[in-house]
Amino acid sequence: MALVVFFVLSLCITCCKVDGRNKFQPDEENDFTQHNSIMLPVDNNFDCVDIYKQPTLQHPLLKNHNIQLSPTFAKNTAQSSSSYGEIVNGCPEGKVPIYNKTKRHQNSTNSSFKLQTNEFWKHSKSFPGYNAVTLDTTQNMIFHGAFTGIAGFNLSLQDNQYSISSIWIESGPPTELNSIKLGVGVHPSLFGDSQLRLIGSWTADGYKKTGCYNLLCSGFVQVNKEYAFGSVISPANTIGSTSKYITFLKIKQDRSTGHWWLTIQLESIQIGYWPKELFTHLSKGASLIRFGGQTLSPPNKDSPPMGSGRLPKEKYRNSAFMEKLQIIDLEYNEVDVKSKDMKPYKDTNSDCYDLMYHGYEGPVFKQAFLYGGPGGRNCDI
């Protein structure tokens, strides 16, 4: 009997040791405190427009569109913190904020409209200067959304660069690719500064003729009167700090309408949605979910930093990370990703950008990964 007990204990100890090699060490995890980042309400860089006269409704596919003011899956959710009381910031009742790019571009020199509307869509294989590192799903199944918390950083970028950390929702072959990207990032050509902001984009034809950033074209329906694409994320994280500020983002397809809703923060503030009418393949769900970072710089120029600008080997104190990774499955359940179903991808050398994923990282970070890097010369493989 004693021999049996000894064998079982030995086996348990061995298993624990093997399991611990890949996980975030508990004592290191306890060194950190986490806080929700604050998304600042809209300011005078936004115009307040009638919700039923917003420019997106001019899209040919949305001429007869009935605006959905809240998703059918919303239970204890809020349209914004000012929805149930006196308006402190934001637009008055019945109006929604639209970022006025013209005002910001008056303060930005040499910004290129072509960069804003076209170069964003170039794939790394066809457009040198674009790079990405992502953690991708591998299951052959239908997804109805995704969720993550992003530790965002302010970065010093030039006007013709960007660095964005996102969730990708995709479906369809490359020539017909339907894609929605939602994240936080720095994009001086869009906003005229290097502040960390909420950024989204979409395409319905593999980046050929449809889609854009934010609301630069018709597509996204804004319903929140206080927060919008272009809202500043504050405070940004600082390298070396043990206090981490997390921006929580979710894209979820409405089971009844098929629209893809954007939700921010743990209190589930609904911002708006991409209507299903925009899409062919995504109208019934997504075939691929990706989490990660992407950068762009003109060809033959240094690539900008991604994440915090530090490589994953510098761990959670210095590197950027995404945590609490979830997918929304075929039955619309929000479930943690499983390491066996995820695969890292990168199109650059590991000295520029990298990604480190070991699965479950403890009760604070849960399913999480480190990513990013300094960029620099010769980042294209």
Side-chain angles (χ1 to χ4, degrees):
M1 181 65 182
L3 181 61
V4 172
V5 172
F6 175 77
F7 174 76
V8 171
L9 288 174
S10 299
L11 181 61
C12 290
I13 293 171
T14 301
C15 291
C16 290
K17 287 182 178 178
V18 172
D19 191 51
R21 293 173 187 172
N22 288 333
K23 292 185 177 181
F24 197 32
Q25 297 302 314
D27 56 341
E28 187 179 357
E29 182 183 73
N30 292 334
D31 288 341
F32 293 95
T33 57
Q34 287 200 7
H35 314 274
N36 284 2
S37 62
I38 298 172
M39 191 167 294
L40 300 183
V42 298
D43 53 24
N44 59 7
N45 293 310
F46 293 78
D47 293 330
C48 292
V49 302
D50 189 308
I51 188 172
Y52 296 103
K53 295 180 181 179
Q54 56 183 293
T56 200
L57 298 179
Q58 297 173 7
H59 194 288
L61 297 175
L62 301 178
K63 287 185 176 180
N64 298 315
H65 182 76
N66 293 318
I67 293 179
Q68 183 181 7
L69 295 178
S70 63
T72 59
F73 57 77
K75 295 180 180 179
N76 299 318
T77 60
Q79 194 182 74
S80 73
S81 59
S82 65
S83 294
Y84 303 100
E86 181 181 356
I87 297 176
V88 178
N89 291 289
C91 294
E93 197 70 37
K95 295 184 181 293
V96 293
I98 306 294
Y99 187 82
N100 188 330
K101 62 182 183 298
T102 303
K103 291 179 181 179
R104 294 299 292 170
H105 283 196
Q106 290 173 352
N107 298 323
S108 177
T109 60
N110 299 320
S111 62
S112 167
F113 184 75
K114 182 180 180 183
L115 174 65
Q116 298 166 27
T117 58
N118 291 338
E119 264 72 344
F120 179 85
W121 308 121
K122 301 296 184 181
H123 293 288
S124 57
K125 292 182 180 178
S126 61
F127 187 72
Y130 174 91
N131 293 110
V133 295
T134 59
L135 185 66
D136 303 348
T137 56
T138 61
Q139 306 104 301
N140 182 19
M141 62 176 285
I142 298 298
F143 302 94
H144 292 294
F147 168 88
T148 190
I150 304 175
F153 291 77
N154 282 338
L155 301 169
S156 180
L157 271 62
Q158 299 176 10
D159 285 340
N160 52 7
Q161 299 176 325
Y162 70 64
S163 183
I164 305 173
S165 301
S166 305
I167 302 171
W168 278 257
I169 306 288
E170 296 186 342
S171 191
T175 57
E176 304 172 7
L177 182 66
N178 288 196
S179 177
I180 297 172
K181 296 180 183 179
L182 168 64
V184 299
V186 176
H187 199 319
S189 293
L190 279 180
F191 303 113
D193 59 35
S194 287
Q195 293 190 89
L196 187 69
R197 295 176 182 267
L198 182 68
I199 298 177
S201 63
W202 68 277
T203 183
D205 62 358
Y207 312 116
K208 293 193 291 291
K209 295 181 179 179
T210 66
C212 62
Y213 289 107
N214 303 341
L215 292 171
L216 286 178
C217 66
S218 299
F220 184 82
V221 178
Q222 176 77 25
V223 300
N224 191 286
K225 59 190 177 184
E226 190 170 358
Y227 306 102
F229 287 125
S231 291
V232 173
I233 310 297
S234 179
N237 287 285
T238 56
I239 293 172
S241 175
T242 56
S243 292
K244 301 299 180 182
Y245 294 89
I246 311 298
T247 303
F248 292 98
L249 301 176
K250 181 192 297 181
I251 305 177
K252 185 173 184 178
Q253 189 172 31
D254 192 300
R255 183 194 291 263
S256 298
T257 65
H259 305 326
W260 291 90
W261 275 86
L262 159 57
T263 300
I264 62 170
Q265 305 302 42
L266 293 176
E267 59 267 33
S268 297
I269 299 173
Q270 314 296 341
I271 302 298
Y273 59 91
W274 290 272
K276 73 171 183 179
E277 293 91 335
L278 298 175
F279 306 105
T280 51
H281 301 286
L282 274 179
S283 62
K284 297 181 180 179
S287 60
L288 176 66
I289 306 294
R290 310 178 74 186
F291 304 91
Q294 57 180 339
T295 64
L296 181 72
S297 194
N300 303 317
K301 299 292 185 179
D302 286 1
S303 296
M306 177 192 294
S308 69
R310 300 291 185 88
L311 292 166
K313 65 183 180 182
E314 296 196 34
K315 302 298 179 65
Y316 286 82
R317 185 181 293 270
N318 296 324
S319 179
F321 60 89
M322 293 190 187
E323 65 171 31
K324 298 179 175 66
L325 307 174
Q326 292 185 330
I327 54 94
I328 301 173
D329 66 15
L330 181 62
E331 300 301 323
Y332 296 84
N333 299 311
E334 300 176 15
V335 297
D336 292 351
V337 303
K338 298 178 180 179
S339 55
K340 68 181 181 63
D341 296 326
M342 306 301 292
K343 180 181 179 180
Y345 163 86
K346 63 180 179 180
D347 63 3
T348 181
N349 71 67
S350 298
D351 291 329
C352 288
Y353 312 117
D354 205 357
L355 186 149
M356 184 183 298
Y357 174 60
H358 296 307
Y360 185 74
E361 299 279 17
V364 174
F365 296 92
K366 297 187 177 180
Q367 289 286 332
F369 65 89
L370 298 148
Y371 71 100
R377 291 280 183 179
N378 305 316
C379 287
D380 296 319
I381 295 178

